[in-house]
């Protein structure tokens, strides 16, 4: 039998009272009984607290029917509040640090937990990375329950299930696994739920990315490249309408507290080529957007390797295109110009992320000068290579996934390396003696073909988290799914 002050003393000893100023303790008298209230200042809304206090202090001794039953007290005296009882110290502490109020009443066998939390939160404005020309303009925020509500608002179906999990022994981050019962892969749902429950890291340091890496490490399918595989296994979105659409298709979502990004899985490569604007416009316009995105996907892989082969005369050039081929010598080889430009563009992207808005124009001017006139006049680059990389950089922004964009980038660089290595091999005396005057061209083309095949094998052998092909519906081929993939037939 617990003594009258058991829960109050237990929580006082477990909390850093007096050390951390935001931990608030209030002694009360409720129905003639001593009670202690515990909460975190700043996480409890000021609107609800006066109402809670007024009803608690109005309770009379005769209304305390059972001196030890917290559930009965809750039912008889506070039925209108979002409240529950708990008798586990760890979960009570988690509730307190999550912004709930813990009420320890003298003689009660359980602690009363009252939900009066209020998190500092920004508005649900449209995410800057996933803007749409038409359609909804709301987006996920760092507030866990707000994100849950944004999904529930769009899918009003009892089959939509939200399961609750806690990840991180220090952060104890709230995570919800979301799926449509009957549509999602139940086996995969169970695997992910078991993994979420078994993650024992001290902290979820970067939120969604930390959880993603642990899930992929545990149930991710092996691929040809192993840990070097650059292709994303999950899709990230900050748009509630995108998350809702994927859920109704049978996919799974993971919502992480403090993160405005929702994780969607399993995903194949073609899931990243679809965008929300495809469905907010008439079918012909949506199909145009989708086909343009598909052509850009292919183009940004092969533009620079093809130009390198044309410019170095590894493959013949039509007379109409010879104006674009550089004449004479240049200080840095075309291959290294492309490699340096790849690095420079990524460096500018990182710089723009850390540049204050007031200095954004200055960065644009500096970037244009460095990669424009000065870069050309100094002899580092030629106009053609800068134009090719500018086209590649602009075309890459048509892809909604940053992660896939870098996967494509590595494919392109690998083909460039294949062309260069092939050309060096063709320049050796052995290759010249074997293949004759065309040895360099043949080996360069061969290097590009081999690199492209390796790229394709790496994609083809990649599996989604569900164990299916990353290239579905092309591998295995599903004609009906391919039609819906490339042509939007209905909204």
């Amino acid at each position: 039998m617990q003594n009258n002050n058991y829960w109050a003393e237990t929580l006082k000893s477990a909390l850093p009272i007096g050390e951390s100023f935001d931990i608030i303790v209030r002694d009360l008298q409720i129905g003639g009984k001593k009670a202690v209230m515990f909460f975190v200042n700043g996480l409890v809304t000021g609107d609800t607290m006066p109402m809670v206090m007024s009803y608690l202090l109005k309770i009379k001794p005769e209304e305390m029917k059972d001196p030890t039953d917290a559930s009965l007290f809750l039912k008889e005296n506070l039925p209108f509040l979002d409240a529950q009882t708990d008798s586990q110290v760890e979960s009570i502490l988690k509730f307190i640090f999550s912004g709930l109020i813990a009420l320890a009443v003298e003689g009660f066998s359980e602690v009363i937990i009252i939900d009066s939390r209020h998190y500092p939160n920004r508005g649900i404005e449209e995410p800057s990375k996933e803007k749409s020309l038409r359609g909804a303009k709301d987006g996920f925020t760092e507030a866990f329950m707000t994100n849950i509500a944004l999904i529930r608002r769009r899918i009003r179906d009892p089959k939509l299930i939200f399961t609750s999990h806690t990840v991180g022994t220090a952060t104890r981050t709230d995570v919800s696994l979301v799926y449509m019962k009957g549509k999602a892969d139940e086996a995969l749902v169970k695997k992910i739920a078991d993994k979420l429950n078994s993650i024992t890291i001290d902290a979820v340091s970067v939120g969604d990315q930390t959880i993603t890496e642990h899930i992929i490490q545990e149930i991710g399918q092996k691929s040809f490249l192993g840990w070097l595989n650059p292709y994303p296994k999950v899709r990230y979105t900050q748009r509630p309408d995108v998350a809702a659409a994927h859920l109704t298709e049978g996919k799974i979502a993971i919502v992480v507290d403090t993160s405005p990004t929702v994780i969607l899985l399993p995903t194949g490569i073609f899931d990243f080529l679809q965008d929300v604007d495809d469905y907010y416009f008439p079918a012909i316009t949506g199909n145009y957007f989708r086909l343009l995105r598909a052509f850009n996907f292919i183009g940004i892989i092969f533009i620079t390797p093809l130009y390198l082969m044309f410019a170095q005369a590894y493959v013949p050039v039509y007379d109409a295109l010879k104006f674009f081929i550089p004449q004479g010598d240049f200080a840095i080889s075309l291959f290294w110009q492309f490699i340096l430009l790849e690095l420079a563009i990524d460096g500018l992207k990182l710089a723009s992320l850390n540049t204050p808005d007031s200095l954004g124009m200055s960065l644009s001017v500096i970037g244009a000068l460095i990669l424009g006139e000065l870069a050309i006049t100094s002899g580092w680059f030629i106009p053609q290579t800068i134009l090719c990389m500018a086209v590649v950089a602009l075309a890459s922004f048509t892809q909604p996934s940053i992660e896939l964009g870098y996967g494509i980038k590595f494919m392109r660089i690998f083909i460039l390396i294949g062309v260069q290595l092939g050309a060096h091999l063709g320049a050796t005396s052995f290759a010249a003696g074997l293949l004759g005057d065309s040895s360099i061209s043949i080996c360069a083309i061969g290097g590009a073909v081999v690199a492209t095949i390796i790229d394709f094998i790496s994609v083809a052998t990649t599996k989604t988290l569900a164990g299916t092909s990353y290239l579905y519906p092309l591998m295995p081929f599903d004609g009906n799914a391919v039609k819906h993939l490339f042509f939007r037939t209905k909204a």
Side-chain angles (χ1 to χ4, degrees), residues 68-77 84-86 108-110 112:
T68 62
D69 193 339
S71 298
L72 180 61
F73 171 83
L74 197 63
K75 179 180 178 181
E76 297 291 338
N77 298 289
Q84 65 186 77
T85 62
D86 202 296
F108 279 12
S109 57
E110 295 178 297
I112 297 171

Side-chain angles (χ1 to χ4, degrees), residues 83-212:
Q84 65 186 77
T85 62
D86 202 296
S87 60
Q88 301 296 321
V89 176
E90 287 298 322
S91 60
I92 294 171
L93 293 176
K94 179 182 179 295
F95 283 135
I96 294 174
F97 289 117
S98 297
L100 285 76
I101 300 171
L103 181 64
V105 182
E106 179 184 12
F108 279 12
S109 57
E110 295 178 297
V111 173
I112 297 171
I113 306 296
I114 302 172
D115 192 348
S116 181
R117 60 187 143 185
H118 173 73
Y119 295 147
N121 192 23
R122 61 182 175 88
I124 56 172
E125 66 272 5
E126 185 178 27
S128 58
K129 175 62 180 72
E130 297 180 88
K131 289 184 179 294
S132 67
L133 298 174
R134 293 175 57 188
K137 301 298 181 183
D138 55 350
F140 292 122
T141 72
E142 290 77 11
F144 183 66
M145 292 307 300
T146 298
N147 295 343
I148 296 294
L150 287 171
I151 297 175
R152 177 64 78 180
R153 181 184 180 189
R154 285 171 166 80
I155 306 178
R156 303 170 185 178
D157 192 323
K159 293 181 181 178
L160 179 64
I161 306 299
F162 294 88
T163 62
S164 179
H165 308 269
T166 301
V167 178
T169 56
T171 58
R172 300 190 63 78
T173 304
D174 290 319
V175 176
S176 180
L177 186 63
V178 192
Y179 64 98
M180 291 288 290
K181 192 173 183 179
K183 289 188 176 181
D185 185 340
E186 296 289 343
L188 182 60
V189 169
K190 186 177 186 307
K191 283 183 180 179
I192 297 174
D194 291 342
K195 179 55 184 174
L196 289 174
N197 292 329
S198 65
I199 294 177
T200 57
I201 54 177
D202 290 336
V204 183
S205 55
V206 195
D208 47 19
Q209 183 59 32
T210 306
I211 291 173
T212 299

